[in-house]
Each structure stands twice: as structure tokens, then as C-alpha cells.
Amino acid sequence: MVITENQISETLKDTSEFGPISLVIIQPTSFCNLDCDYCYLPDRHLQNRLSLDLVDPIFKSIFTSPFFRDNFSVCWHAGEPLTMPISFYKSAFQLIEEANKKYNKTDFCFNHSYQTNGTLINQGWCDFWQEYPVHIGVSIDGPAFLHDTHRKNRKGGNSHDLTMRGIRYLQKNNIPYNTISVITEESLNYPDEMFNFFAENEIYDLAFNMEETEGVNELTSLNGKKIEYRYIKFIERFWQLVTESKLPFIVREFEILISLIYSGNRLKNTDMNKPFMIVNYDYQGNFSTFDPELLSVKTEKYGDFIFGNVLTDTLESICETEKFKAIYQEMNKGVKLCSDNCNYFGICGGGAGSNKYWENGTFASTETQACRYRIKILTDVLVSAMEKSLNLSIT
């Protein structure tokens, strides 16, 4: 059930409905060694760094929070995490283990992951990761002619070869990884080339992100009905290639929808619009919740989305602040609008607030281009394809 506006003030007094924490994003640095033209992050040219002195307070805030009620993942992200030295993470992981022993009074545990552009992966990183249960997400947009169109280094050079070198290190060392590809207008003509690239390089665990209007990226190449039609054809063809292949492909977008379709389960929210399912920490120890994409941005309407700092605030203490209440009320209003008006709500759960803000100017809104591409079109394509494969017809 979506919480009504009249119930919000009462809910804020009882935060048991929030969480549980499932994902913790930590920004070890704002800096990135690439300068991708569709990136949403500001300040990625600045070498701001997380102090090791903040590691214990960050994890104390997690382990002592009422929202800590399950296992969770720690993702090092929001800048290129591998621009920080291995020695930093050796020290950080040791401090995290000490904090776990001091503050974690439960049987719940956590694992580490990195979201990286892959260009700096070498044997030293793989040796370090062999010591810990880590999962690596690598950003690669497919074959070089697509990837290098947008993912340039800071001198304007190409990055594909270095990213592929990093993936080879992961494969050689049996480090678990997946890839994320940003779909741009250029991608839409090349489903076969993208599929063949992944198949030939034995990259089987894939995810697609849409190029979005978000943060400092104020334009997307995916605007317009003609582009949407090309996207439909791209998804139809990629689905066909994956399902006809005997290779062990896992495509995140396909897997999530298939699971919901076959199980009959439906979403009531997402981790990006329910407070404290995701907690985001920047390099200064400031924290936010909801979308990770909101952490480092500033807006005219809302200001920034920082709700507190680990040196002065607990996670639960910010629930009574006017800033949190105002944003949560508007976020929840948008979820209710989706619930009341959209036939895809059970697949979507009300969407991501960041998409609603950047596209519609407010969290209290409904359809976005992002949800059309990621939910509506994808659902229609997959349902139609499955009905056809089962010789079903809807009259």
C-alpha cells in the first residue's frame, strides 16, 4: 500500500517502515580519470578524497541504525574508485572490520563491490580483491566504435583498450564482475554488433543504463518518437539474440522483468523512493538516501540532498528535519500518483525520484522518458515476445 499524505506525519514518527538498508554507496573520491560526456556527476575533475578517519563513523552510523535489519552491499562509487590507491582500501577494510566487531550486534553481514571504468585494473588490484568477497561492475558501452564515442580520457583519447585490459585481468583471476552499458542514440543501430562483442569476449553478465537527463548532463540523445521506435527495435533484436543463443547470458533488465512476470509478484515501491533502503555517503561524511544520483548534485528547487553528516547526526535523527520531511512527502506524492494512474506500477514501483526531478521539475510527478524506456517499452517488448513464443494471442 502506498502511504497517503495524511499518514506521512505519523509514519515519520514511526520509522520502522523505512529501510532495511540494502545498499550503501560510499564516495572514496569525486575524481574520475575519464570525462564521459553523458556523466551526471559534477566535480569529477576535483581530487576530493575520503579521509580514513570517517570510515569508523560511517559504519557506526550504519550498524547502530534501526534501519540495519538485513545483509547489505557496500559499493565504492561516485567518482572512479580505483584512482584511490590499494593501500587506502586495505586500511579502510581493516577499519570496517573493526567497526563491524564493535558495533554490529546482529548476525547480518555485508559485502563489497566497486563500480569502475576498468581502465586502472591490474594484477595488483586482482591480488587485493582475492582477499575479500568483492564484486566488480565495469562500465563498457560495447565495441570500441561505440564506447570511445562518449567515454574519453581527460586528454580526449580513447579508453576502450584499457577497459578491455581490465576485464581480461578480472577474467584471468576469476574475479566476479558484470558490465553496464549506457545506451545512446548511436547504440540503437547496432544490437548485433553489441551482442557479438559481448559473446566474443565471454562477457555474459550485462546491464543497460539509458543515457538520461540527469545532474550536470542536461541533454540526452534518446529524445523523440523516432528514437523510441529505434529503441524498441533494438530491444526486440537483442532479446531475440539472447534467447536464441545457447550462451549463459544474464541481462539485468530482462531478468528483473521476467522474474516479476513469472512470479506474479508486484512492486509497491523501489529502493530509490523508499527511505533508507539505500544510504549514500560522500567524501566528507555527508549522507543522503533515495537515489545515489542525488548525492552530489545541487538544484535550484531543493538545494542539495544532504540530510546529515556522520560526525553530528544519526541516520534516524534526520527523519524529523524539515528538509527530509519535505522531500519525502513530495517523493511519496509522486509514488502515489504513479500508483493511481499507471498500469505499469507493479513493475516499476513508482520509479526513481531523480528522473522525475530532472525531467519534470518535481518528485511529485509521474511518467518520465526514463520509465518509458526502462519499464514500459521493455515490458511491452518482452510480454509480446513471450506471448509469441507460447503461441498466445490476446483478443
Side-chain angles (χ1 to χ4, degrees), residues 42-62:
D43 301 332
R44 58 186 186 271
H45 61 292
L46 300 178
Q47 299 198 29
N48 301 311
R49 294 185 167 201
L50 177 73
S51 168
L52 288 170
D53 292 339
L54 289 171
V55 172
D56 181 88
I58 285 173
F59 281 84
K60 180 180 180 181
S61 74
I62 296 166

Side-chain angles (χ1 to χ4, degrees), residues 51-242:
S51 168
L52 288 170
D53 292 339
L54 289 171
V55 172
D56 181 88
I58 285 173
F59 281 84
K60 180 180 180 181
S61 74
I62 296 166
F63 292 134
T64 60
S65 165
F67 313 127
F68 172 48
R69 303 192 300 271
D70 204 346
N71 301 331
F72 65 93
S73 295
V74 177
C75 181
W76 300 89
H77 181 36
E80 172 47 52
L82 303 195
T83 60
M84 296 289 278
I86 294 173
S87 59
F88 168 83
Y89 292 104
K90 286 185 176 181
S91 297
F93 283 21
Q94 179 60 42
L95 290 168
I96 292 167
E97 286 302 320
E98 292 172 4
N100 185 42
K101 292 176 182 176
K102 281 192 292 184
Y103 307 121
N104 185 359
K105 307 303 180 183
T106 76
D107 294 327
F108 300 128
C109 57
F110 58 93
N111 56 54
H112 291 280
S113 66
Y114 290 75
Q115 185 59 45
T116 174
N117 60 45
T119 60
L120 301 176
I121 296 173
N122 57 25
Q123 190 57 48
W125 281 106
C126 291
D127 290 342
F128 169 60
W129 290 332
Q130 297 282 14
E131 301 176 32
Y132 295 90
V134 300
H135 185 94
I136 309 301
V138 180
S139 298
I140 187 166
D141 288 353
F145 75 92
L146 290 174
H147 177 100
D148 287 334
T149 299
H150 299 281
R151 302 187 65 80
K152 302 288 188 182
N153 64 32
R154 294 209 157 269
K155 294 182 178 180
N158 296 332
S159 64
H160 190 269
D161 286 349
L162 289 177
T163 299
M164 283 305 302
R165 183 193 67 176
I167 288 175
R168 295 287 179 234
Y169 273 111
L170 296 174
Q171 292 173 332
K172 182 175 69 175
N173 288 273
N174 296 313
I175 305 290
Y177 74 98
N178 71 290
T179 62
I180 296 178
S181 300
V182 175
I183 301 299
T184 63
E185 186 272 337
E186 291 90 350
S187 313
L188 301 181
N189 291 331
Y190 302 105
D192 289 70
E193 288 82 354
M194 288 189 70
F195 176 86
N196 291 334
F197 166 79
F198 290 119
E200 290 165 5
N201 288 283
E202 299 182 322
I203 300 170
Y204 299 127
D205 194 342
L206 319 177
F208 292 141
N209 283 352
M210 303 298 105
E211 182 191 7
E212 297 174 346
T213 303
E214 195 165 58
V216 297
N217 187 45
E218 297 179 351
L219 297 172
T220 172
S221 62
L222 297 177
N223 284 327
K225 287 296 181 183
K226 291 182 179 179
I227 300 294
E228 285 196 12
Y229 177 77
R230 289 171 57 198
Y231 173 69
I232 291 170
K233 294 302 177 185
F234 174 90
I235 292 297
E236 288 176 341
R237 179 58 177 162
F238 207 90
W239 168 264
Q240 180 186 10
L241 292 167
V242 167

Side-chain angles (χ1 to χ4, degrees), residues 232 235-236 257 261 344 347 372-387:
I232 291 170
I235 292 297
E236 288 176 341
L257 279 171
I261 290 167
Y344 296 81
I347 303 295
R372 287 198 305 275
Y373 277 69
R374 190 182 299 129
I375 303 297
K376 295 183 177 183
I377 291 174
L378 201 64
T379 301
D380 290 346
V381 168
L382 265 60
V383 169
S384 177
M386 286 188 284
E387 288 175 347

